[in-house]
Amino acid sequence: MQCVDQSIYCNGSCCQNGPKCCGGRCCLGGEEFGVTCCSPPKTNPAISGECCRNQEGRCCGGKCCAHANKCCGLTKFKGQCCAGDCCGNNCCPTGTSCCDGKTCCARGQRCCKGKCCEQGGECCNGVCCPAGAPCCNGKCCKPGFRCCGGQCCPINLQSQCCSEALTSTGTALLNALLPAAAKPKPTPSEVPGPLGVCCPGVTADGTSTGLTCCGTACCKSGSVCCTDPRGNPLNRCCPEGASCCDDGKTCCEKGTLCCGNGKCCKEGTQCCGKECCPQGTECCGDGKCCPVTQTSTGMQSACCGKACCDPKLKATCCWGADRKPGECCAALDANGGETGNQCCGKRCCGKGFRCCTDADGNPLDQCCPDGTQCCGTTCCKPGFKCCGDGKCCPEQLGACWNNTCCDVKLKPLLCAIKGVNDTTGETVLLPGDCCPSATDTGAEAGNQCCGRKCCSKSDTCCVNSDGTPMETCCPQGTQCCDDGKTCCKKGTVCCGDGKCCPAETFCCKPKVLDASATAKAFAAAMLGSRSMGLLARKPKEDVAKTQCCKQGDACCDDGTCCPKGTQCCGAGKCCPVDGDCCGKTCCKPGFSCCGPNKCCETKLKPLCCGADLTTSTGTTPPVIDCCPALDIFGKETGSECCGAACCTGGAKCCGGKTCCRPGESCCGEKTCCKENEVCCGNGKCCPKAQGTCCGQTCCDVASKALCCSIQGTALGGACCPQVFPSTGLPTNMTCCGHECCKAGQECCGSKCCPPDYKCCGDQCCPKDRNHCCGSTCCNPLTKPRCCGTAADASTGVTECCPSVDLLGRDLGTFCCGKQCCLPPTNGAAAQCCKSDAGDEICCDLAVGVAGGQ
């Protein structure tokens, strides 16, 4: 068959008016009319092709794939048309999801490193745990167990997880973050275990174990749970009869006292660092115990700083003018003879030594042998005289001048200038160098005084315009500069600031600008052409110094030399003349400055995100980002600035700091919640299908958690789970204000008290302080009375007033209003005083208080 009029033969028919032959059919229209022939690679489209209208679909794997479907494989030749999700180059059926780009998982299954876990199961370190078996520390627990501190805890033994608020993941993370010294160490009364311990309530035969939680520790029956002053457990159990120390780590046996640093001292002794001082001694610090003796004037301590003075040797402590102790000075030797020692400030001067004093007779903590002369911190031998602070000079050979010993054989010139005494205003002589005019052989040395400075024969003494010496000696071959301090070689130029420049260069001195001009110059240097209206940071002062510039260089206002073809940009920076100055960066042609050190392409009309310096503090430059308003084809991008970030592709600004993509919602200042999440506030996103918001917390729906919060307050609530998700068994947890109390805890005001604690007002009191005085916890062994009125008790403003000490001895205390007072030491009758406000107070606190007897 032959086709005419430019028609194309196609499977026994002729395709007319320009259509292609595709798969044995005529594709009406052609590519110019939006029709494409899809065919597999390396095949004849006329035989194996398929017509595809662009408005209906696109080519995918040689077939026409509807726009509603996805093309897996990303090419029109090697792809697969998929109505579900793409999984690598494969297609997952509708209702399934891709797992790690390898496997398709059914709805309800969880992806676990390329495998699909059964519905209700959990992925645990690459292994699928069956439904009801929780993941714990990388392993699967058996059904009927829950995770507690990285170990599987049986539910049927009425087990308590000490520190229930920590999940298995949170516990493992916290254990990893804690240093070894901070992790709780088990005592004989504890059940050893990591942070978050499984504490079984009964044994396998149903017998009670008597174990209770103490924070993250599990205590045996009869042991004491250590708590802080507010009653919060310190994760420490002490054996029965022992007491907890304030450090929350040490347990002291009965009859001993806590001394800190893990030290326990027997009753009747005194704590002294890491030691215990027995009776009859006193702690002198750092574990040093010194005896205390009875004298006619009372008890006398042997402490002298951190040392002990021996009372048998009648040793006394030498004290300095700063009222700090020094050495021990013994009046007797070991044989009972007199030593003749005496204190000299902090020093002890022995027999044959005398005490050095100042002009007013005050000791200088210095002892010199008899026959010598005190000279500051030195003693001058006979035949020497003191020339000042610690300088001794031979009387026959030397002369004293300005705390220096001058050799008279060298015929010294005593250099000095006239000055004014700052105190009296009188004209005085200000001494300087000792300048020898002769050599060791007696020849003329040629040295000369230049004010207070001694110049050698070959030196030049620099003088000012009126001939007054400026106390600078310039070596031979140099010249004095006008500053009177610098010497420049001949052939160079004095530039000031101690700078000498070669003759072929010139001096470039920084100009002194006023404050406003300096700020503007600095802003221009940092922000280039965009500095207008922006707050400039204050430049560093006294940084620029005089420089030597080559001929042809430009001398900048800040003292920088910029080579020919460059421009001054300030802050020591030179940029090409055809570019733009931008802080420490030079922008290429076609780019402009968009803030400190940031160059953006000018033709894209960039927005300078974060360029407003009013949002930066101190000397830290702001973060700058280029946000192009146009693309490379000149079309508008729709981008916008969000603080220092640029939001593109339809993203919107969240809180001025973060860009949220389309479909996401802003939550707080930095967080974006997805479509299937709800914002609980403060950047917390909660999955709609798995949790509900409680204040700023996300509660698990599976645990049927209650939201604990105080109505009418701004306090965030706490989630209180009612069942264990893995078993459905009740947790026996209840709300207490905005806290969630575990099983066995008592609600006290708005806080939860641990087991065996008593609620006093709004405080949790342990067993050893379970006597209530309003909201104060008192030790019942001291038979306390409560100081304060009933109205005070209702507000918690009361004090415990112990009647006896822990040994049962009467203390004689009494109440004065809200205060507990000790009896007067002078035997007077016990009485209360009144303050200016009319409140009853203890009399020893009312000394000098008007109207108070």
Side-chain angles (χ1 to χ4, degrees):
M1 181 178 179
Q2 185 176 2
C3 296
V4 296
D5 299 332
Q6 297 181 349
S7 299
I8 298 175
Y9 177 81
C10 184
N11 196 21
S13 61
C14 294
C15 298
Q16 299 178 354
N17 300 325
K20 286 186 176 181
C21 182
C22 182
R25 299 174 57 192
C26 296
C27 286
L28 300 179
E31 292 184 359
E32 64 271 21
F33 296 101
V35 180
T36 305
C37 181
C38 302
S39 63
K42 298 181 181 181
T43 60
N44 188 350
I47 299 174
S48 58
E50 181 179 341
C51 293
C52 189
R53 294 184 179 276
N54 294 349
Q55 63 181 8
E56 297 175 356
R58 65 196 184 284
C59 290
C60 178
K63 296 181 180 284
C64 186
C65 184
H67 288 300
N69 298 336
K70 300 175 182 177
C71 184
C72 301
L74 303 179
T75 66
K76 63 180 180 180
F77 298 113
K78 296 182 180 180
Q80 182 178 358
C81 189
C82 184
D85 290 335
C86 291
C87 195
N89 291 330
N90 299 319
C91 174
C92 287
T94 304
T96 64
S97 59
C98 182
C99 175
D100 295 341
K102 300 177 182 178
T103 310
C104 299
C105 292
R107 184 174 296 170
Q109 291 182 327
R110 184 171 294 182
C111 178
C112 185
K113 288 191 176 181
K115 296 180 290 186
C116 301
C117 296
E118 66 180 45
Q119 191 167 4
E122 189 174 352
C123 182
C124 187
N125 197 22
V127 178
C128 289
C129 296
C135 178
C136 190
N137 198 21
K139 296 181 180 179
C140 298
C141 293
K142 296 179 181 179
F145 284 73
R146 59 174 170 166
C147 188
C148 177
Q151 58 180 330
C152 297
C153 190
I155 298 174
N156 60 348
L157 298 183
Q158 301 178 13
S159 300
Q160 238 184 320
C161 184
C162 300
S163 189
E164 182 71 46
L166 292 174
T167 63
S168 59
T169 305
T171 302
L173 179 61
L174 190 54
N175 270 324
L177 293 177
L178 279 176
K183 295 180 181 179
K185 298 179 181 179
T187 64
S189 61
E190 287 184 359
V191 176
L195 186 62
V197 176
C198 180
C199 205
V202 296
T203 62
D205 59 2
T207 307
S208 175
T209 61
L211 300 177
T212 56
C213 281
C214 179
T216 58
C218 184
C219 298
K220 288 185 176 181
S221 177
S223 59
V224 180
C225 176
C226 298
T227 61
D228 62 15
R230 298 186 61 184
N232 300 313
L234 295 175
N235 313 324
R236 194 59 159 168
C237 309
C238 285
E240 188 173 3
S243 57
C244 298
C245 296
D246 291 340
D247 61 3
K249 301 177 183 178
T250 310
C251 300
C252 287
E253 298 177 356
K254 188 175 182 180
T256 61
L257 301 173
C258 296
C259 285
N261 297 323
K263 187 72 176 178
C264 301
C265 289
K266 294 182 180 180
E267 291 184 357
T269 62
Q270 182 184 6
C271 298
C272 187
K274 296 183 179 180
E275 300 296 331
C276 302
C277 293
Q279 289 185 345
T281 63
E282 183 183 4
C283 178
C284 295
D286 198 22
K288 189 70 174 178
C289 302
C290 292
V292 178
T293 56
Q294 178 71 43
T295 64
S296 58
T297 58
M299 301 299 290
Q300 182 176 352
S301 172
C303 287
C304 186
K306 294 182 180 180
C308 295
C309 295
D310 193 345
K312 296 179 181 179
L313 304 180
K314 294 186 178 180
T316 57
C317 185
C318 298
W319 292 80
D322 56 359
R323 298 184 178 181
K324 293 182 179 181
E327 300 174 349
C328 286
C329 208
L332 302 177
D333 57 21
N335 299 322
E338 293 186 355
T339 60
N341 296 338
Q342 60 175 333
C343 282
C344 179
K346 295 181 181 179
R347 295 286 304 276
C348 178
C349 297
K351 188 176 182 179
F353 287 79
R354 63 193 183 93
C355 179
C356 297
T357 60
D358 61 14
D360 298 326
N362 300 314
L364 295 174
D365 303 335
Q366 175 70 22
C367 304
C368 281
D370 293 341
T372 62
Q373 181 184 3
C374 294
C375 186
T377 58
T378 308
C379 302
C380 293
K381 300 177 181 179
F384 286 77
K385 56 184 175 181
C386 182
C387 278
D389 188 15
K391 188 68 175 179
C392 298
C393 187
E395 293 180 350
Q396 300 298 327
L397 301 177
C400 292
W401 181 251
N402 194 23
N403 295 334
T404 305
C405 184
C406 298
D407 192 345
V408 295
K409 293 189 301 181
L410 303 180
K411 299 179 182 181
L413 302 175
L414 305 181
C415 301
I417 61 173
K418 291 182 180 181
V420 179
N421 188 302
D422 294 335
T423 304
T424 63
E426 299 177 350
T427 301
V428 294
L429 200 64
L430 303 177
D433 292 344
C434 182
C435 194
S437 62
T439 64
D440 293 336
T441 61
E444 290 290 332
N447 297 334
Q448 58 177 325
C449 285
C450 183
R452 290 178 294 179
K453 188 83 173 178
C454 180
C455 295
S456 67
K457 182 179 180 180
S458 59
D459 290 345
T460 301
C461 176
C462 296
V463 297
N464 59 19
S465 57
D466 62 0
T468 304
M470 303 185 72
E471 301 185 351
T472 298
C473 303
C474 284
Q476 188 176 8
T478 62
Q479 57 181 332
C480 296
C481 294
D482 293 340
D483 60 3
K485 300 177 183 179
T486 309
C487 302
C488 287
K489 294 181 180 180
K490 291 183 178 179
T492 61
V493 180
C494 292
C495 288
D497 297 332
K499 189 76 174 178
C500 304
C501 286
E504 64 272 13
T505 63
F506 66 94
C507 302
C508 179
K509 297 183 179 181
K511 295 182 180 180
V512 179
L513 305 176
D514 57 41
S516 60
T518 303
K520 291 176 182 178
F522 187 77
M526 290 301 296
L527 300 179
S529 59
R530 298 181 182 271
S531 62
M532 187 72 68
L534 300 181
L535 179 63
R537 292 183 287 136
K538 185 179 179 181
K540 294 182 179 179
E541 299 177 355
D542 301 328
V543 174
K545 294 183 180 180
T546 301
Q547 302 293 330
C548 301
C549 291
K550 297 179 181 179
Q551 299 297 332
D553 288 354
C555 179
C556 301
D557 291 343
D558 61 358
T560 303
C561 301
C562 284
K564 187 176 181 180
T566 63
Q567 57 178 322
C568 297
C569 288
K573 189 69 180 178
C574 303
C575 287
V577 293
D578 57 351
D580 194 3
C581 297
C582 194
K584 296 180 181 180
T585 303
C586 298
C587 295
K588 299 183 296 184
F591 286 76
S592 57
C593 189
C594 197
N597 311 321
K598 191 70 175 181
C599 300
C600 299
E601 193 170 359
T602 308
K603 70 177 183 179
L604 301 182
K605 295 185 178 180
L607 304 173
C608 296
C609 298
D612 186 0
L613 278 178
T614 58
T615 61
S616 65
T617 58
T619 58
T620 303
V623 179
I624 305 296
D625 192 11
C626 300
C627 198
L630 302 177
D631 60 16
I632 58 175
F633 301 107
K635 296 182 180 180
E636 293 187 357
T637 61
S639 303
E640 62 173 335
C641 284
C642 187
C646 177
C647 297
T648 59
K652 297 298 180 183
C653 184
C654 175
K657 297 181 179 180
T658 306
C659 298
C660 291
R661 292 176 293 185
E664 294 180 339
S665 59
C666 182
C667 186
E669 293 185 354
K670 300 180 180 180
T671 307
C672 301
C673 292
K674 299 179 180 178
E675 287 183 313
N676 61 345
E677 294 176 335
V678 62
C679 177
C680 294
N682 197 26
K684 183 66 177 180
C685 299
C686 187
K688 296 179 182 178
Q690 300 176 10
T692 57
C693 290
C694 179
Q696 295 178 356
T697 307
C698 184
C699 297
D700 187 7
V701 173
S703 64
K704 300 181 180 179
L706 299 177
C707 179
C708 301
S709 60
I710 300 176
Q711 191 173 3
T713 67
L715 293 173
C719 298
C720 201
Q722 299 301 291
V723 296
F724 294 106
S726 59
T727 62
L729 295 177
T731 61
N732 297 324
M733 295 182 180
T734 56
C735 285
C736 181
H738 57 83
E739 292 187 6
C740 178
C741 295
K742 303 173 189 176
Q745 293 183 334
E746 180 185 1
C747 181
C748 184
S750 59
K751 66 176 65 174
C752 302
C753 291
D756 296 332
Y757 276 61
K758 184 178 180 180
C759 179
C760 290
D762 58 355
Q763 295 293 328
C764 298
C765 298
K767 286 192 300 186
D768 57 343
R769 287 183 284 119
N770 60 5
H771 182 89
C772 297
C773 277
S775 294
T776 306
C777 304
C778 306
N779 191 338
L781 298 179
T782 60
K783 299 180 180 180
R785 61 174 66 89
C786 299
C787 296
T789 63
D792 295 328
S794 64
T795 59
V797 186
T798 56
E799 184 176 347
C800 301
C801 195
S803 302
V804 296
D805 60 16
L806 294 176
L807 299 179
R809 296 174 293 194
D810 185 36
L811 297 176
T813 56
F814 59 96
C815 287
C816 283
K818 303 173 186 176
Q819 295 182 352
C820 179
C821 306
L822 293 171
T825 57
N826 57 5
Q831 59 180 343
C832 299
C833 296
K834 285 191 176 181
S835 65
D836 290 337
D839 298 326
E840 282 192 319
I841 59 174
C842 303
C843 287
D844 59 343
L845 299 176
V847 176
V849 177
Q853 276 297 340

